[in-house]
């Protein structure tokens, strides 16, 4: 049965680590490939390959003895995945759906072609192009590929900012009047069964575009929740998704919902599902790609997830802060065990799951004090 | 910080696998030693040693580069652990406490010497000895060492049974009139902080002495719960425990509580803590041996844990049964991924955690039907 199945993950970061956490529940064998020998996952598998998931040869070699291949990052070699698919391997999400998503411009075009509302944006080939688009400023400039955790995103307020803009293929997006940022995680399997998690409310740090915290359930009118869930399901169907997909959305001040970005893999907007939901997003991904029944996505407890970023305050007094965090009941600390110190990097997260939202919020305040 | 700590587990079965599941939450590096190259843990670490935890040389070699060593089984070489302790390694539970517990007779004598009520029993060196003890029959014969999951335990009803009795150092225990079997898991750290989980009610299969299921919270009068918890704490203090300890107890028909057996490691009477408690027993063990604050042991949801034993019914129709189990909301399937088929062996467990005990019990009935 499952114990003989060989499953591979491209990418070996904390998302892969949490996926292995849940693979243990099903007794699965997981191989991992990451270009960093010290990737968080490397220590949690007997089958780690140190190679670049963007390399055609490396991905092909990695996949040749596997049965099922999935991803924990979008920056992977699609041609190799298509070749593995041809060889009869299950590659989920499908290479085609990863290809559409891994480029933020083709992603947007794809959504538009399926009548899914998005933030308007234009393609930019290089920094020089931006001068022709001065009438579109202020705007948000995003690299088409390989952005993550706020890397690859910047604001262009005036023409003066063009001088320091990315000189790479990008998308220049209109600034929308955002009331809320939310995310919906949706799972879909080969049979076309779909299950959505409830929307979560996301709070970003203004300077760095990094998720600071996120609250589930999102405090939204019922109708808007349903609209967001329906939208996420439409995206999953349009992509013929097999796996899970995080759909990040903006709610504008005039109450429109626009899709901001997609991620066809476990996502930090679903970290809370480990403790707060009946089925975690990680288990759900495994169920989806293995053709097992999708799990119940119901939220069991109100929750708030806080990302832990490396700061000077943290690096100075890490052990003591860590002990203080662990002493808070219902605060579930996830520490990624990354080697070395690099300011600004995500080094962990904490999910507070408790019986009432009031107590969750109070504990979050205590935790923010400890971390800062 | 923790990412540079090297932690080792002696034993690589499902308990070790679940320990790694929770080690991922703290970003820990875990090395594992087991005599079976196919042990469930082997695939979840980059540092697996295939060797016998009972071998002095093997344990010493395994421990030499580690900082902290723990166990997931009692059948380990104590002399090697004492030597590692001398070399400055943290060995938790302490070798002395494992030595007391790994022999069921010295365990009993230890408890008696601390005025902890136990099931009366006498030491037996070999089968021949039993003939001198015919006046003590009927009784329960347990091998002094290396019993687990019902192996190493048998009933001696009449003198005729002596012919097929174990011919090994054993303990012949009086039969007590048992109303309930319960277990309490207690954690204690080096500072002497103690935290207990609430008692769970255990139901054993009558023929095989294997745990069939277990319910938390145990339906017991408040006073009796408190007595059981106090008893577990006394045992932990007497052992100067660092780690976690499962204290299995009998409640007799005249409402006395007797300690039946101890296990100084994660235990199947604590499986439910993964989904039903704020802190799982596995995380609690890691906290205890790493000198971190002990976690909140409160139960969050009523739960029932069912062991899955390999049966002919299961092996015939495994994949379909597995799918049916996964379709039940709130039934958390843990499949150990053991290779090969051996009837009677534990191959997984299911924890049902749900909002009411009624729905938990109803789902358990459905699951038993699927499994049988």
């Amino acid at each position: 049965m499952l114990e003989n199945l060989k499953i591979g993950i491209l990418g070996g970061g904390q998302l892969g680590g949490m996926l292995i956490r849940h693979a243990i529940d099903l007794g699965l064998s997981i191989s991992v490939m990451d270009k960093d020998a010290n990737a968080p996952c490397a220590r949690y598998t007997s089958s780690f390959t140190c190679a670049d998931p963007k390399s055609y040869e490396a991905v092909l070699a990695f996949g040749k003895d596997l049965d099922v291949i999935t991803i924990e990052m979008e920056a992977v070699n699609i041609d190799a995945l298509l070749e593995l698919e041809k060889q009869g391997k299950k590659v989920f999400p499908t290479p085609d759906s990863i290809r559409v998503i891994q480029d933020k411009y083709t992603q947007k075009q794809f959504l538009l072609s399926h009548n899914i509302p998005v933030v308007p944006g234009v393609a930019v080939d290089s920094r020089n192009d931006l001068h022709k688009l001065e009438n579109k400023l202020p705007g948000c400039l995003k690299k088409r590929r390989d952005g993550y955790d706020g890397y690859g995103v910047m604001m262009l307020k005036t023409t003066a900012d063009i001088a320091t803009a990315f000189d790479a293929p990008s998308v220049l997006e209109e600034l929308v009047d955002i009331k809320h940022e939310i995310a919906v995680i949706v799972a879909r399997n080969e049979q076309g069964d779909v299950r959505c998690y409830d929307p979560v409310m996301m709070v970003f740090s203004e300077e760095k575009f990094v998720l600071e915290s996120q609250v589930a359930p999102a405090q939204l009118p019922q109708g808007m929740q349903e609209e967001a869930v329906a939208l996420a399901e439409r995206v999953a169907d349009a992509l013929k998704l097999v796996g899970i997909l995080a759909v990040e959305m903006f709610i504008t001040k005039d109450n429109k919902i626009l899709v901001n970005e997609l991620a066809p893999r476990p996502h930090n907007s679903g970290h809370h599902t480990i403790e707060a939901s009946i089925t975690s997003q990680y288990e759900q991904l495994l169920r989806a790609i293995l053709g097992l029944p999708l799990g119940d996505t119901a939220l069991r407890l109100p929750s708030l997830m806080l990302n832990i970023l490396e700061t000077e305050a943290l690096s100075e007094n890490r052990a003591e802060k860590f002990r203080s965090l662990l002493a808070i009941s219902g605060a579930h600390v996830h520490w990624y065990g990354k080697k070395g110190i690099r300011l600004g990097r995500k080094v962990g997260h904490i999910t507070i799951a408790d019986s009432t939202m009031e107590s969750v919020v109070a504990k979050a305040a205590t935790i923010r004090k400890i971390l800062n």
Side-chain angles (χ1 to χ4, degrees), chain A:
Chain A
M1 211 178 59
L2 293 178
E3 56 269 25
N4 297 317
L5 215 54
K6 288 181 183 151
I7 299 161
I9 312 175
L10 292 175
Q14 63 264 19
L15 298 168
M18 288 180 259
L19 193 55
I20 293 177
R21 182 191 199 272
H22 293 266
I24 293 175
D25 294 350
L26 299 177
L28 302 171
S29 292
I30 304 282
S31 300
V32 175
M33 183 163 110
D34 195 283
K35 64 182 174 186
D36 179 0
N38 281 323
C41 277
R43 64 191 85 147
Y44 303 123
T45 174
S46 57
S47 174
F48 180 77
T49 302
C50 186
D52 190 344
K54 287 165 97 172
S55 148
Y56 179 86
E57 288 74 21
V59 171
L60 206 61
F62 177 68
K64 80 175 178 346
D65 295 323
L66 299 173
D67 301 301
V68 184
I69 297 145
T70 192
I71 60 169
E72 61 109 56
M73 57 195 281
E74 293 88 346
V76 297
N77 191 288
I78 302 298
D79 292 332
L81 291 177
L82 285 167
E83 176 57 31
L84 289 167
E85 207 178 39
K86 252 190 236 158
Q87 292 174 12
K89 313 293 185 189
K90 302 244 182 200
V91 182
F92 299 133
T94 60
D96 288 330
S97 61
I98 306 171
R99 194 197 289 276
V100 162
I101 291 171
Q102 72 179 184
D103 178 319
K104 287 182 186 170
Y105 188 67
T106 60
Q107 183 189 123
K108 205 182 282 292
Q109 296 303 105
F110 176 85
L111 292 168
L112 280 173
S113 73
H114 286 84
N115 298 313
I116 290 161
V118 298
V119 181
V122 293
V124 181
D125 284 337
S126 68
R127 190 185 291 151
N128 256 342
D129 272 19
L130 286 167
H131 289 292
K132 297 174 223 154
L133 298 168
E134 287 179 4
N135 65 325
K136 295 209 181 273
L137 300 193
C140 181
L141 189 69
K142 296 176 173 177
K143 283 191 190 168
R144 285 175 67 154
R145 289 170 173 272
D146 300 351
Y148 71 99
D149 286 356
Y151 299 103
V153 184
M154 66 189 302
M155 292 299 289
L156 296 185
K157 288 180 190 160
T158 68
T159 52
D161 292 334
I162 294 176
T164 54
F166 304 130
D167 191 15
S170 305
V171 186
L172 181 63
E173 286 187 350
E174 271 182 31
L175 290 192
V176 258
D177 261 350
I178 299 169
K179 187 156 71 179
H180 298 301
E181 299 199 37
I182 63 169
V184 175
I185 290 181
V186 53
R188 187 175 176 280
N189 65 15
E190 277 188 283
Q191 292 78 49
D193 301 329
V194 173
R195 294 261 182 126
C196 264
Y197 289 86
D198 290 332
V200 300
M201 188 77 83
M202 299 191 291
V203 179
F204 284 82
S205 83
E206 283 198 24
E207 298 145 41
K208 294 187 176 164
F209 307 100
V210 179
L211 186 67
E212 192 267 341
S213 64
Q214 138 204 307
V215 177
Q219 305 296 315
L220 291 175
Q222 185 64 25
M224 194 156 271
Q225 296 213 29
E226 286 165 10
E227 193 184 332
V229 164
L231 207 51
E233 293 185 357
R234 275 177 57 203
V235 177
D237 283 332
L239 283 166
K240 297 191 185 67
L241 176 76
V242 180
I244 62 172
L245 175 77
V247 184
E248 296 188 66
M249 305 177 199
F250 294 146
I251 300 181
T252 64
K253 291 208 169 130
D254 53 351
N255 291 322
K256 287 198 187 106
I257 302 184
L258 304 177
V259 171
N260 174 27
E261 283 187 28
L262 307 177
R265 52 164 172 82
H267 190 254
N268 65 177
S269 64
H271 282 338
H272 69 290
T273 59
I274 294 177
E275 290 89 4
S277 304
I278 294 180
T279 310
S280 78
Q281 67 168 341
Y282 303 95
E283 180 179 333
Q284 194 75 307
L285 171 58
L286 294 169
R287 287 172 177 247
I289 67 176
L290 298 178
L292 298 169
L294 295 178
D296 190 340
T297 57
L299 197 68
R300 193 154 248 168
L301 289 168
S303 71
L304 191 150
M305 191 282 290
L306 280 165
N307 269 322
I308 309 178
L309 302 182
E310 188 73 61
T311 59
E312 280 180 30
L314 182 64
S315 64
E316 272 165 26
N317 215 345
R318 217 176 238 224
E320 199 188 304
K321 283 174 189 285
F322 193 72
R323 290 180 63 84
S324 304
L325 294 174
L326 285 173
I328 300 171
S329 164
H332 300 275
V333 178
H334 294 257
W335 187 256
Y336 305 153
K338 293 182 179 175
K339 307 259 177 174
I341 287 182
R342 202 174 77 210
L343 294 184
R345 182 165 68 158
K346 266 189 212 166
V347 291
H349 77 265
I350 300 177
T351 297
I352 311 153
D354 214 341
S355 42
T356 67
M357 188 50 88
E358 288 67 33
S359 104
V360 165
V361 168
K363 286 178 179 176
T366 306
I367 290 169
R368 285 194 181 95
K369 262 188 221 151
I370 294 169
L371 287 174
N372 296 318

